[in-house]
């Protein structure tokens, strides 16, 4: 079964913007986020690859100041926003869990496989 989660209107997600969402999985609430990085929409589970903590350092803030990397607030790991790969920090070589995302009729939608 596939869960379809409408997240945000694509027009409200310019370069460097993010939007959080959540879903229920195995009796546990999970979180994710979508982002726009130079016009490409991506979605990831909102969890550091090193330890299972949320990546937003303020509510719905994931990018560094230059909008180049996603930053883990716990230990400063840096993740590539286009791939989720860790390029600096304790989980170096690991990466964020990607989620399937699409833009449908102007809306950013995430699909979760159950």
């Amino acid at each position: 079964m596939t869960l379809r989660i409408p997240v945000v209107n694509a027009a409200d997600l310019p370069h460097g913007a993010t939007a959080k969402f959540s879903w229920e999985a195995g009796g546990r609430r999970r979180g994710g986020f979508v982002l726009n990085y130079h016009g490409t929409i991506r979605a990831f589970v909102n969890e550091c690859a090193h330890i299972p903590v949320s990546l937003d350092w303020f509510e719905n803030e994931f990018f560094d100041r230059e909008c180049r990397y996603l930053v883990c607030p716990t230990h400063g790991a840096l993740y590539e926003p286009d791939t989720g790969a860790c390029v600096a920090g304790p989980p170096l070589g690991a990466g964020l869990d990607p989620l399937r995302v699409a833009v449908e009729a102007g809306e950013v939608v995430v699909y979760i496989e159950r």
Side-chain angles (χ1 to χ4, degrees):
M1 180 177 139
T2 302
L3 179 61
R4 182 182 185 276
I5 306 170
V7 180
V8 65
N9 187 309
D12 295 331
L13 198 68
H15 168 67
T18 58
K20 290 173 44 173
F21 61 93
S22 62
W23 72 96
E24 192 76 27
R28 180 177 151 213
R29 199 86 180 137
R30 302 290 313 268
F33 64 99
V34 296
L35 62 86
N36 180 333
Y37 186 66
H38 295 292
T40 301
I41 307 296
R42 300 276 191 236
F44 298 101
V45 174
N46 186 7
E47 197 169 272
C48 180
H50 180 229
I51 54 174
V53 296
S54 174
L55 286 178
D56 45 334
W57 43 278
F58 286 114
E59 183 62 28
N60 201 37
E61 295 289 335
F62 294 86
F63 279 101
D64 63 0
R65 283 188 207 154
E66 293 78 32
C67 205
R68 182 168 176 192
Y69 297 106
L70 305 170
V71 182
C72 176
T74 302
H75 47 70
L78 301 178
Y79 295 92
E80 293 279 356
D82 55 345
T83 65
C86 181
V87 295
L92 186 62
L96 302 177
D97 290 330
L99 298 168
R100 187 165 57 111
V101 64
V103 177
E104 300 171 352
E107 185 172 49
V108 177
V109 178
V110 174
Y111 292 91
I112 307 291
E113 300 301 326
R114 289 186 171 212

